[in-house]
Amino acid sequence: MNFSNDLAVKAEKINNLMEEVLSPDTGYAEYLMDAMRYSVNGGGKRLRPMLMEETCKLFDRKSEELKYFMAALELIHSYSLVHDDMPCIDNDEYRRGRKTTHAVYGETTALLAGDGLLNYAYETAAKAFDVTNDAALCGKALKVLSKKAGIFGMVGGQAADVETEKNGALLSKDRLLYIHENKTGALIEAAMMIGGILGGAGDDEIKKLEEAGSSIGIAFQIRDDILDVEGSFEELGKPIGSDAENSKETYVTLFGMDKAKEDVKTYSDKALSIIGTLGKGNEFLVKLVESLVLRTK
């Protein structure tokens, strides 16, 4: 297999899906939809919907519902980035080498664009009920999506991160792992769990997918901390060294670079070991996970 070519083809397929999902004319709200499109079409790798699709392929059920959940997850991820970049949180002007949504459209429109993307995500996921032959399975996937995106997932992790940074809360290892697992890992867990659910995986297999997603998310975020030290603007498309500049504690500052790199391998090996025990195998999925945790950008 040619992983790079396959990755580009799959990403373009998801780009087309997102373009289709965001195509409706919204009348007097079209300016807001333009901001939503800008946010989604910011050069992302589409890794979360791709993980969902590739995890689904581990199992035997053909899913008609999958594309709606793939799109919904990417909409949720995009909204989280819009809000994360805003002055009240990280105050970032660049993401993936271009201006962030609030830097282009202003804070008010960016706030509403994030709100719009989140709500439109659930509207999009709900369309799966129109095509499903198993409403209970569809409902199970929707339950995972809503939980992992909310206070018991991504939003909870974001809140803990903001409290730590803004209010000077003590950053212990447990707290840092909670932030990484939820702020970053929760949507990766959702991707793999929903892929498994819609593919027909059993409850024990879905639990294992959740564990694999958690490990991938933690490894991914530790790698992000490493890249903030060792990366470059040209590679990452955003300023580096911002954690140190803002005196923000990270996995690297708490445990050192060598330990951080060691733990990236430990968590990624755990995830790959779990994936290897599930379903019928998927070489591309293995390569995708490896690319996530060993990336240079």
Side-chain angles (χ1 to χ4, degrees):
M1 69 177 293
N2 187 320
F3 175 72
S4 295
N5 285 349
D6 289 349
L7 183 67
V9 169
K10 292 173 187 293
E12 184 60 24
K13 176 185 171 185
I14 297 170
N15 284 338
N16 292 337
L17 170 62
M18 300 313 298
E19 184 176 344
E20 177 187 341
V21 166
L22 291 165
S23 64
D25 186 334
T26 51
Y28 287 116
E30 188 64 12
Y31 181 74
L32 181 61
M33 179 59 89
D34 282 342
M36 291 164 61
R37 293 187 188 108
Y38 180 86
S39 306
V40 172
N41 297 327
K45 300 181 184 70
R46 310 307 189 197
L47 296 172
R48 289 156 189 81
M50 199 179 296
L51 274 173
M52 186 186 295
E53 184 173 34
E54 296 305 316
T55 301
C56 189
K57 291 178 182 177
L58 289 172
F59 306 97
D60 294 326
R61 180 177 181 270
K62 180 174 173 57
S63 174
E64 300 296 331
E65 311 90 348
L66 186 65
K67 71 175 185 177
Y68 300 104
F69 281 94
M70 289 170 60
L73 187 62
E74 189 68 2
L75 291 169
I76 289 172
H77 173 58
S78 297
Y79 115 78
S80 75
L81 299 183
V82 173
H83 284 183
D84 200 34
D85 289 335
M86 290 183 68
C88 60
I89 301 184
D90 284 348
N91 195 25
D92 284 327
E93 286 198 18
Y94 286 92
R95 180 175 290 278
R96 301 167 185 149
R98 70 172 194 162
K99 290 283 190 177
T100 51
T101 304
H102 75 269
V104 175
Y105 290 87
E107 291 182 41
T108 301
T109 299
L111 178 65
L112 291 173
D115 294 342
L117 288 166
L118 176 59
N119 283 278
Y120 196 46
Y122 292 112
E123 184 178 345
T124 300
K127 292 178 181 178
F129 286 95
D130 295 334
V131 300
T132 190
N133 59 9
D134 192 335
L137 203 66
C138 205
K140 188 175 182 180
L142 187 59
K143 183 178 180 180
V144 168
L145 182 69
S146 57
K147 181 176 181 180
K148 293 298 182 181
I151 189 66
F152 298 106
M154 182 187 67
V155 173
Q158 179 67 284
D161 191 30
V162 168
E163 183 187 10
T164 301
E165 187 174 353
K166 304 291 186 184
N167 301 329
L170 180 64
L171 185 61
S172 63
K173 181 178 180 180
D174 286 347
R175 187 181 186 90
L176 182 61
L177 288 177
Y178 174 89
I179 292 169
H180 284 359
E181 182 173 5
N182 287 280
K183 181 180 175 181
T184 303
L187 293 193
I188 294 175
E189 293 171 17
M192 300 188 75
M193 292 172 72
I194 292 169
I197 289 167
L198 298 180
D203 288 343
D204 288 344
E205 292 169 315
I206 294 166
K207 183 64 178 175
K208 288 182 179 180
L209 288 169
E210 183 177 26
E211 293 174 11
S214 173
S215 293
I216 293 168
I218 293 172
F220 184 93
Q221 188 57 53
I222 297 173
R223 184 64 183 157
D224 202 57
D225 292 347
I226 292 170
L227 289 174
D228 193 67
V229 177
E230 295 187 342
S232 68
F233 180 87
E234 289 73 23
E235 290 174 325
L236 300 178
K238 61 180 181 179
I240 64 164
S242 58
D243 291 336
E245 183 178 330
N246 296 323
S247 300
K248 181 175 181 178
E249 289 187 289
T250 69
Y251 209 91
V252 174
T253 61
L254 282 181
F255 304 110
M257 184 63 76
D258 289 344
K259 174 65 172 171
K261 291 181 177 180
E262 178 186 326
D263 286 354
V264 166
K265 185 176 189 310
T266 298
Y267 282 110
S268 58
D269 285 350
K270 178 182 178 181
L272 290 170
S273 176
I274 293 171
I275 291 169
T277 68
L278 295 171
K280 54 192 177 186
N282 182 334
E283 182 183 359
F284 180 85
L285 177 59
V286 171
K287 295 288 186 183
L288 180 61
V289 171
E290 290 174 344
S291 74
L292 282 175
V293 297
L294 298 176
R295 72 196 193 283
T296 58
K297 58 184 179 178

